Amino acid sequence: MYNNKYVNEWVEQMAAMTQPDEIVWLDGSQEEKERLTKQALSTGELIELNQTELPGCYYHKTAENDVARVEHLTFICTEKKEDAGPINNWMEKSAAYAKLGTLFTGSMKGRTMYVIPYIMGPANSEFSKVGIEITDSIYVVLNMRIMTRMGKIAMDMLGDSPNFIKGLHSKGEINPEKRYICHFPEDNAIWSIGSGYGGNVLLGKKCFALRIASWLGRKEGWMAEHMLILGVQDPTGNTQYVSAAFPSACGKTNLAMLIPPKKYQEMGYKVWTVGDDIAWLRIGEDGRLWAVNPESGFFGVAPGTSMKSNPNALLTCKKNTIFTNVAINTADNTVWWEGMGVPAPAEAIDWRGNKWTPDSTEKAAHPNSRFTAPAGQCPCISENWEDPAGVPISAIVFGGRRAKVAPLVYQSFDWEHGVFIGSTMASETTAAATGAVGVVRRDPMAMRPFCGYNMGDYFQHWLEMGKKIPNPPKIFNVNWFRTDENGKFIWPGFGDNLRVLLWILARCNGQVDAVETAIGYVPNPEDIDLEGSGIDLDTLKGLLSIDKDSWTTEVADIEKHLAQFDRLPEEIKNQYEALKKRING
Ligand code: OXD
Ligand code: MN
C-alpha cells in the first residue's frame, strides 16, 4: 500500500465490490516483473518464446471472442446525453454504475487484484497525468509496464493529491454479452469488464489518453489527439516536428518510423519517432503548440510489418516484447505473421492455438494481432521523445484513404479552415475490412471512436485553441492512396512520403509558393522533388488535380455528415458554405 489516502480509500471500495483473494500493489521494479512473468508462465497466461532469438519476449493468446476494440460496447457515461453527443454510445451515469456494479460484484473472487499506478507522459512534465489501474490480469500489468511509466515513479509524482484517473478492470467471464467499456469523464473514472484485449483493458491508452484526456483537455485548455509525432532532421541538423492524425489502417506507425529514400539519406536527412498513436498538445510559453507522446511503448499491429514495410518497427520488437495472437513457429519457437516478408513456417501454432501449415485456409496470425514493445528500443526514436517540455509542432497533418477525391497534399487557408478539413476527414473502407469496398466513412480528426464528449463541442474546442495559439502550426491534408484506373496506388508511399513532408515544412518555413484552389493551397508540381521516386511530373500533376465532379459529390456528402451534429459551431457551417460556393460557383 502507498500512503495516498485517496488512492487507498478508492482501492478499498473497489476491493469491497470485486472481492479479490488478495491485493498486490505494484512498484514497477525488475524483481516484480520477473516474479509476475514467472507466475503468468506457470498458468499459461504467457508462453515463453525462443530466448536466444527473442530475449525477454513472451506470447499471449486472447479468447477467440475477444480480439479487438469493441466500439458498440464502449460508452461515455455522463449525466446528460447531449454531453456525450451524437456519435458516442451513451449510458446515464448512475445507470451505468449500477449495471456494471452488478457485473463487478465478486468478479475477482479467487483472483488477485493488482493495483497499477502509472503516468501518461514523461515523469514530472506539465503535460503528464497519473492514473491508477486496478486489474485482475497479469497480462495487463506486464503490458502497462511497457506502455506507461508505472509503479513507484507514478506515486511519487502523485504525492498526496486526489488528482488521478481511476481505472477499474476485470476480465469477468470474457463474455461478449457481459462486456462493457465505460467512461465517466465527470468522475475521472473508467470501468472495463469482460475483456482481456489490449485496447479495451490497457486503460491508459484509448480510454484515458484519448477519451478522458480529450474531456480534460477541453476543460483545462489543451488537446488530446489520435496523432503520431515525428521529427524531420535536415542536413544542417535542424529538426522540425509534425503531428498527424489518420484513421486506422492508413499507415500511422509506418509514417512515424519512415526511412528516407536513399537520396535523402545521402544528403543527411533523418526522420525521428516521438510517438505513433497519441499526442497531448499544449501552448508553450513561446506561443507555439508543443506535444508529448503520453505512451512509452508501441501497441502495434503485427501483420504486414516487415523489413520492407517498417524495419524500425520490426527491430523494435526483437526483445522485451509481448506478442498477442500472432502465430508461433513450431520449429524454433519464434513468431510469424502474414506479411512478415519471410517464408511461412512449415508448421506453426495459429492464433487460436491450433496446428497450422502453409496449406491451411485460415490465417496463422489474427489480422489484429499485436506486439507490445518499449518505444525506447526503436532504432529511430527521437532523442527528445521523453523531454518533459515536449517538442514544438510546425505542422498538423490530417489524412485518409481516398481512391479519387483528395489530392496528394493540400494546405488549409488558415487554422479555422484546417479545423473544417479535420472535421470532414474521411477514409474509404478497404477489401481488408468486412463490408463494401470504397465506402466513405467520415472520421473527424481520426477521433470518431475516441472523443470523450460531444463532437460539436470538440470542433469548438479546436477553434478556441486556434484563437489562443499565437504561432499555430499550419494545417495540411494528405492522401497517399489515390489509385489509377486499374485500382493500383499511384503514389509509392512509405519512405517517399518524405517528399511530401518536405513540401509541408517548406510551406511552414515560407520557402515555397503554392497554387490557391477551391479546397486550399496545392503545390506547384515542380516543388515536390521526384528524383528517384519512379513518378514523373505528369503523374504528379494528376495526383494534385482536383476534379470538380468528385468534389461536387464530396460537398453533398459533407453536408450530410455535418447535419448529424447538434452542436455544430457556426464557423464550421460557414466554412462549409464557403467551400460549397467555391466548388459549385
Ligand atoms: C487503434 C489502435 O485502434 O491504435 O487505433 O490500436
Ligand atoms: Mn490508434
Side-chain angles (χ1 to χ4, degrees):
M1 198 187 282
Y2 289 95
N3 47 24
N4 177 305
K5 71 171 184 202
Y6 305 101
V7 174
N8 293 346
E9 263 170 38
W10 172 67
V11 169
E12 233 170 74
Q13 283 166 15
M14 297 303 106
M17 175 167 68
T18 56
Q19 302 162 33
D21 283 8
E22 61 167 335
I23 302 178
V24 172
W25 293 75
L26 299 176
D27 60 20
S29 65
Q30 189 59 25
E31 177 281 320
E32 175 182 273
K33 177 188 171 191
E34 283 161 19
R35 178 167 47 84
L36 292 177
T37 303
K38 224 182 252 169
Q39 205 172 322
L41 288 170
S42 75
T43 59
E45 195 171 346
L46 286 185
I47 293 172
E48 189 171 79
L49 292 165
N50 182 325
Q51 293 297 299
T52 312
E53 295 287 322
L54 298 167
C57 293
Y58 298 91
Y59 178 84
H60 174 80
K61 193 167 80 64
T62 64
E64 276 183 44
N65 70 22
D66 188 28
V67 291
R69 283 188 293 104
V70 281
E71 285 175 21
H72 62 295
L73 302 172
T74 299
F75 292 82
I76 302 297
C77 308
T78 47
E79 279 174 21
K80 294 199 232 93
K81 184 171 184 341
E82 56 268 34
D83 291 333
I87 302 278
N88 285 310
N89 299 315
W90 174 78
M91 254 194 255
E92 193 276 320
K93 193 164 94 172
S94 50
Y97 280 128
K99 186 175 185 125
L100 271 70
T102 310
L103 299 174
F104 271 112
T105 298
S107 70
M108 295 193 191
K109 267 189 196 155
R111 299 181 187 175
T112 300
M113 170 191 270
Y114 299 95
V115 183
I116 316 170
Y118 64 95
I119 309 173
M120 296 314 289
N124 299 315
S125 156
E126 189 203 349
F127 285 84
S128 302
K129 297 212 177 267
V130 172
I132 312 278
E133 176 164 356
I134 292 175
T135 179
D136 53 10
S137 158
I138 295 184
Y139 171 75
V140 168
V141 174
L142 294 174
N143 273 271
M144 287 292 282
R145 237 193 105 87
I146 298 172
M147 296 304 293
T148 71
R149 287 93 180 163
M150 72 84 110
K152 185 172 174 303
I153 188 174
M155 291 309 293
D156 287 347
M157 183 169 147
L158 184 63
D160 54 13
S161 160
N163 293 327
F164 61 95
I165 304 300
K166 308 176 185 78
L168 174 65
H169 165 250
S170 171
K171 292 179 283 190
E173 299 167 18
I174 310 281
N175 175 354
E177 305 291 314
K178 297 183 185 172
R179 180 174 297 157
Y180 294 96
I181 322 298
C182 285
H183 305 73
F184 302 88
E186 288 154 347
D187 303 343
N188 284 336
I190 305 155
W191 283 17
S192 163
I193 187 153
S195 173
Y197 169 76
N200 301 326
V201 300
L202 307 179
L203 300 185
K205 193 176 177 63
K206 303 298 188 182
C207 301
F208 173 1
L210 287 176
R211 298 194 189 98
I212 298 286
S214 60
W215 176 289
L216 291 175
R218 175 169 174 244
K219 207 167 80 179
E220 298 168 2
W222 54 281
M223 303 162 94
E225 299 297 332
H226 192 199
M227 288 178 174
L228 66 91
I229 310 165
L230 63 79
V232 179
Q233 182 181 331
D234 71 18
T236 70
N238 182 41
T239 303
Q240 284 185 283
Y241 296 90
V242 173
S243 64
F246 303 105
S248 48
C250 291
K252 237 162 67 237
T253 304
N254 290 348
L255 184 62
M257 298 181 188
L258 179 155
I259 296 193
K262 198 155 171 285
K263 168 183 167 180
Y264 287 91
Q265 287 181 33
E266 286 167 4
M267 287 164 77
Y269 280 95
K270 292 197 172 85
V271 171
W272 301 107
T273 309
V274 178
D276 80 326
D277 195 38
I278 299 176
W280 283 2
L281 305 120
R282 279 180 184 268
I283 304 169
E285 276 166 22
D286 64 354
R288 290 187 290 175
L289 192 62
W290 290 68
V292 298
N293 167 14
E295 303 187 281
S296 62
F298 305 125
F299 183 61
V301 176
T305 306
S306 70
M307 282 310 277
K308 197 156 163 249
S309 68
N310 193 340
N312 286 317
L314 205 59
L315 295 170
T316 305
C317 57
K318 282 281 178 221
K319 57 183 182 186
N320 306 319
T321 295
I322 299 173
F323 293 95
T324 304
N325 294 344
V326 300
I328 300 181
N329 183 338
T330 318
D332 61 3
N333 198 27
T334 58
V335 290
W336 188 81
W337 50 76
E338 281 76 12
M340 195 188 217
V342 296
E347 193 187 304
I349 306 294
D350 72 13
W351 68 274
R352 291 189 167 90
N354 298 328
K355 187 175 138 184
W356 182 94
T357 66
D359 302 332
S360 304
T361 49
E362 300 285 328
K363 294 234 185 278
H366 188 276
N368 192 35
S369 54
R370 300 275 175 155
F371 54 82
T372 318
Q377 291 181 184
C378 180
C380 58
I381 197 74
S382 161
E383 62 180 4
N384 297 321
W385 83 281
E386 296 198 277
D387 191 328
V391 295
I393 299 296
S394 298
I396 290 176
V397 178
F398 295 126
R401 185 183 283 272
R402 301 301 299 268
K404 299 284 172 234
V405 186
L408 180 63
V409 58
Y410 63 102
Q411 181 188 354
S412 69
F413 296 123
D414 52 27
W415 180 275
E416 188 180 297
H417 179 229
V419 176
F420 170 72
I421 291 173
S423 74
T424 61
M425 238 170 85
S427 207
E428 280 147 18
T429 50
T430 67
T434 48
V437 173
V439 176
V440 174
R441 189 165 45 211
R442 302 269 160 202
D443 185 351
M445 283 85 168
M447 283 288 277
R448 189 184 182 101
F450 305 120
C451 180
Y453 61 102
N454 188 309
M455 189 66 89
D457 293 340
Y458 169 75
F459 298 154
Q460 190 68 53
H461 179 50
W462 265 82
L463 294 165
E464 297 305 322
M465 286 296 293
K467 288 178 204 148
K468 285 189 217 148
I469 312 170
N471 188 4
K474 305 267 188 286
I475 302 181
F476 298 81
N477 193 87
V478 298
N479 175 26
W480 317 132
F481 301 98
R482 267 210 191 178
T483 55
D484 63 17
E485 54 292 346
N486 302 317
K488 269 191 63 193
F489 295 126
I490 305 170
W491 180 248
F494 298 100
D496 286 300
N497 292 338
L498 179 63
R499 299 169 191 274
V500 174
L501 291 179
L502 291 178
W503 180 79
I504 287 175
L505 291 174
R507 284 296 290 166
C508 295
N509 300 335
Q511 291 158 335
V512 279
D513 287 334
V515 185
E516 186 171 338
T517 72
I519 64 165
Y521 297 116
V522 171
N524 285 302
E526 49 286 351
D527 287 334
I528 294 189
D529 170 46
L530 294 175
E531 193 190 303
S533 68
I535 296 284
D536 61 27
L537 196 62
D538 277 343
T539 310
L540 178 63
K541 283 182 186 161
L543 283 168
L544 295 172
S545 65
I546 294 153
D547 178 60
K548 188 166 183 302
D549 287 348
S550 321
W551 274 90
T552 304
T553 314
E554 178 77 356
V555 164
D557 196 61
I558 288 175
E559 180 165 352
K560 269 195 265 159
H561 162 65
L562 295 179
Q564 69 190 307
F565 300 109
D566 52 339
R567 295 186 187 169
L568 192 69
E570 227 22 65
E571 290 93 326
I572 301 290
K573 276 185 215 156
N574 296 342
Q575 284 288 341
Y576 165 73
E577 292 300 336
L579 173 70
K580 187 165 147 185
K581 206 152 147 213
R582 291 194 300 267
I583 297 289
N584 297 338

